[in-house]
Amino acid sequence: MDGLSEKELIEALLRYRGSGASLPVKNGDDAAVIEAGGKLLAVTTDALVQGVHFEFSYCPPKNAGIKAMESAASDVVAMGGKPSYALIALSAPSDLTQELIEELYGGLEASAKRIGCSIIGGNVVVSAAPLSLTVTVLGEIQGADLICTRAGARPGDLICISGELGRAAAGLRALQKGLPGFKVLERAFLEPRCRVDLVEKLAPVATSMIDISDGLSSELYHICDASVCGAVIDQDRLPTGEDLTELAAKSGSDPLALIFGGGEDYELLYTVHPEDRGAIAGYQIGTIEAEKGVRLKDKAGEVRELPRIGYDHFA
Amino acid sequence: MDGLSEKELIEALLRYRGSGASLPVKNGDDAAVIEAGGKLLAVTTDALVQGVHFEFSYCPPKNAGIKAMESAASDVVAMGGKPSYALIALSAPSDLTQELIEELYGGLEASAKRIGCSIIGGNVVVSAAPLSLTVTVLGEIQGADLICTRAGARPGDLICISGELGRAAAGLRALQKGLPGFKVLERAFLEPRCRVDLVEKLAPVATSMIDISDGLSSELYHICDASVCGAVIDQDRLPTGEDLTELAAKSGSDPLALIFGGGEDYELLYTVHPEDRGAIAGYQIGTIEAEKGVRLKDKAGEVRELPRIGYDHFA
C-alpha cells in the first residue's frame, strides 16, 4: 500500500475523534472544548518537529521552544480561550546537551510567561533523532457565547486579520537563503506571538475565528467549509509591508504567494457582523458571501478562485 | 558537553514545571492537577516511541495504540482520577500505510472505550522515523480528599499492589527471545490494562499511590522520597505466578529482577492505614517504616537494601 500524505493522515485521525463524547464544539476545530464544573476549557496538542518545522542551523533552540509554545497556545486563543496551563512532551536524541535543553526550555518558559500560562507537567523520552516537542495547552473560555469556532461566518460578515500575513514565511526564506537586512521578518518566524492580547476584545464579536498556522488560503477554506459559505478577499485591502515586498523581489517570489501560502504567522483570521465594524482589531480584508469557494478580487477588479493550498499566479 | 541521560533530562524539565502556578499537587507526581469551576482535573502527557518502548517486529500497531492509551490513562488513575478525555499527537514517517494507521488508532480507540475516555482531538506530523505517539489524558478527581499523591505514606502504613508484577517485562522477554508457551505473559506486555476499575475503591483509602510504569523498585523509591519515609518489602508476600518463574528460569534470570526492575505493568502501588486493611485490592507486600531507604526481607528473614533502579542479587 502507498504511503499517506499528512492530509490523509489527518482525515484518518479525524474519524477517531470525538468518539463517544458529547462536546460543546464539533470535531476538527482548532482545539477541543470540554466542560468541567460549568466552566469551558479549550484543550489542544501540537507538535514541533526538527527537520519538519525548523532546523537548528537557522532556528536556535530557544526559538524552537518559543515557536512550540506560541503555536500550541494559538489554537486555544483561536477558540476564544485564554491559555492557562501547558504540558510539554520532549522526545530527543541522547546527544542532547545540557546547554541545548536549557535554551529550549528557556524559550518555552519565556513564551509561557508572556502568554500567562503555567507549565504544569510533561514527559521526556530519549530516542533517535529528530527532536520533537509536543505541547498541550489548556485555557478557559469565559462563556458558551464566547466560543469561537470556524462555523459561524454568515454572508455579509466582514473578513478580518489581526495583523500582516506572510511575514513568518518571508523571514524563514531570508534565514534559509541567508539574505541580509530582513531582521524584522526573521523575528516574525523565530519569535512569533500568538494573539492572546486580543481574546477579550474579539471573542464577543467574532462570528468565526481561526489562527494562521498554514497560510491565509487554507485557513479561509477551513472557515468557509465549516460555515458553508464563500469568501472574497480584496487585494487592495491586504496589508503588505515594504520589507515583505522587497524580500519577495530578492527571492524571486510573489508577495501574494507568501501571504496566501505562508504559515506560522499565528495572527487571527476572523469574521464579524458589519454592525461590529468598530470592534475590528487589525484589518478588514474581504467579505463573506453565500457563493462557496474562496476568491481574490485583484487591483483591476478581476475576481478569480484561489486554490485550497497556497497561491497560483493567474496566467 | 556530554549527552544527558533520561534522568538528567527529566530533572532539567522538572525545574521548569509549575512555574507561576498555584496547584493542588506538588510538581513531579504522576499527573498535574488543576482546578476548573470547583472541579479537580488530573492532566498528563505521555509518549510511546518506536525503538524505545516497542518495535513493530513483536508489537503490532494495534498493541502500540493500546499501550500508548493505557500508559497515559494510568497516570490519571494513579492520581485518583477517572480518565475522561484524550488527545493524540502522532509523529510518523511518510511511508506509513493506511492499514497501519487504522490498526494503531483502532488500538487507541479500543483502549479509550474500555477506559471510558473520549478521544477529543489530536495532531499529526509527517516526519522522519521513528513513529511516536504522545497521548494527553484528562480525568476528573471527585474531591480534594481523593487526590492520591506520592507524598502521603506514613510509618506503619501497609504497602499494597493491585496485581502481580514483572509480567509485562517477562512477556517482552518471551517476545524478544521467541520463547514459546508464554501467551499470558505476552498479553501482559501487549495488552496492559490500567486499573481504572479500582479508582473508586482505592482513592478514598490510599494514603499514597503511583502506577508501575518503571518497576517496583523505582516506584517505591518515588513514594518514599515524596513521603520522607522508608519501606520494607516482604519477599514471602510477593505474588509470583508459575509462568513468571518458568520464564525467568528459561531466560536465565531471577524472577525478583523482573518484579523489581520490570516496568509497564500499570498495576497500582499504594499504601493504606492498617485500619483500612479490609479495603485492599490485590496484595499487601510490605510496610512503610520511618527509616529511609527501600529494603527487601528475604525468605530467610535477612533484610537488605534495594537499589533505586532494578534489582541486584545479593552475592
Side-chain angles (χ1 to χ4, degrees), chain A residues 9 15 18 101-102 119 136, chain B residues 9 15-16 18 101-102 119 136:
Chain A
L9 273 176
R15 282 202 297 280
I101 199 172
E102 293 284 348
I119 299 171
T136 298
Chain B
L9 273 176
R15 284 201 296 278
Y16 290 95
I101 198 170
E102 291 286 347
I119 299 171
T136 298

Side-chain angles (χ1 to χ4, degrees), chain B residues 234-236 296-304:
Chain B
D234 199 337
Q235 191 181 340
D236 264 344
L296 177 69
K297 190 167 94 183
D298 69 17
K299 289 176 189 291
E302 296 272 338
V303 175
R304 59 200 165 94

Side-chain angles (χ1 to χ4, degrees), chain B residues 102-288:
Chain B
E102 291 286 347
E103 286 184 32
L104 197 67
Y105 280 105
L108 285 159
E109 200 181 33
S111 267
K113 202 172 168 185
R114 186 190 84 74
I115 294 164
C117 192
S118 297
I119 299 171
I120 58 168
N123 190 68
V124 176
V125 179
V126 174
S127 71
L131 181 145
S132 86
L133 265 175
T134 305
V135 180
T136 298
V137 176
L138 294 95
E140 202 182 315
I141 302 173
Q142 295 294 331
D145 51 335
L146 299 176
I147 301 176
C148 300
T149 70
R150 303 173 177 184
R154 296 291 170 262
D157 281 0
L158 311 178
I159 302 169
C160 311
I161 49 173
S162 59
E164 294 180 30
L165 303 185
R167 300 182 66 77
L172 173 60
R173 200 160 294 196
L175 286 164
Q176 285 177 325
K177 299 201 170 191
L179 299 172
F182 296 102
K183 288 285 169 216
V184 179
L185 293 177
E186 287 174 18
R187 262 210 304 282
F189 174 80
L190 293 172
E191 294 172 28
R193 297 182 159 218
C194 74
R195 301 307 306 263
V196 61
D197 56 313
L198 297 178
V199 174
E200 277 175 35
K201 185 176 165 73
L202 295 181
V205 294
T207 55
S208 72
M209 191 148 78
I210 194 170
D211 68 320
I212 303 284
S213 52
D214 294 326
L216 179 56
S217 199
S218 66
E219 310 299 3
L220 260 175
Y221 269 102
H222 286 319
I223 282 185
C224 290
D225 288 348
S227 300
V228 196
C229 61
V232 178
I233 299 299
D234 199 337
Q235 191 181 340
D236 264 344
R237 289 178 170 273
L238 283 173
T240 314
E242 275 179 31
D243 51 355
L244 187 84
T245 309
E246 192 187 333
L247 180 282
K250 280 197 178 162
S251 67
S253 52
D254 188 328
L256 288 180
L258 293 167
I259 291 169
F260 285 102
E264 301 187 37
D265 286 310
Y266 305 115
E267 293 290 348
L268 295 167
L269 170 67
Y270 60 100
T271 54
V272 297
H273 191 273
E275 276 180 10
D276 290 320
R277 188 185 296 272
I280 293 173
Y283 310 88
Q284 187 219 328
I285 58 169
T287 315
I288 294 291

Side-chain angles (χ1 to χ4, degrees), chain B residues 39-119:
Chain B
K39 297 250 180 183
L40 296 166
L41 281 179
V43 195
T44 187
T45 190
D46 203 19
L48 192 86
V49 181
Q50 185 185 1
V52 178
H53 301 104
F54 73 95
E55 294 286 0
F56 285 130
S57 56
Y58 57 77
C59 179
K62 185 180 177 181
N63 297 283
I66 290 172
K67 287 173 72 66
M69 183 61 69
E70 299 281 343
S71 93
S74 184
D75 284 330
V76 166
V77 167
M79 294 305 295
K82 288 202 100 173
S84 307
Y85 302 107
L87 294 97
I88 298 161
L90 171 68
S91 177
S94 59
D95 59 354
L96 204 70
T97 63
Q98 178 79 27
E99 202 183 347
L100 191 147
I101 198 170
E102 291 286 347
E103 286 184 32
L104 197 67
Y105 280 105
L108 285 159
E109 200 181 33
S111 267
K113 202 172 168 185
R114 186 190 84 74
I115 294 164
C117 192
S118 297
I119 299 171

Side-chain angles (χ1 to χ4, degrees), chain A residues 52 169 270 294 308:
Chain A
V52 177
Y270 59 100
V294 173
R308 274 191 178 262

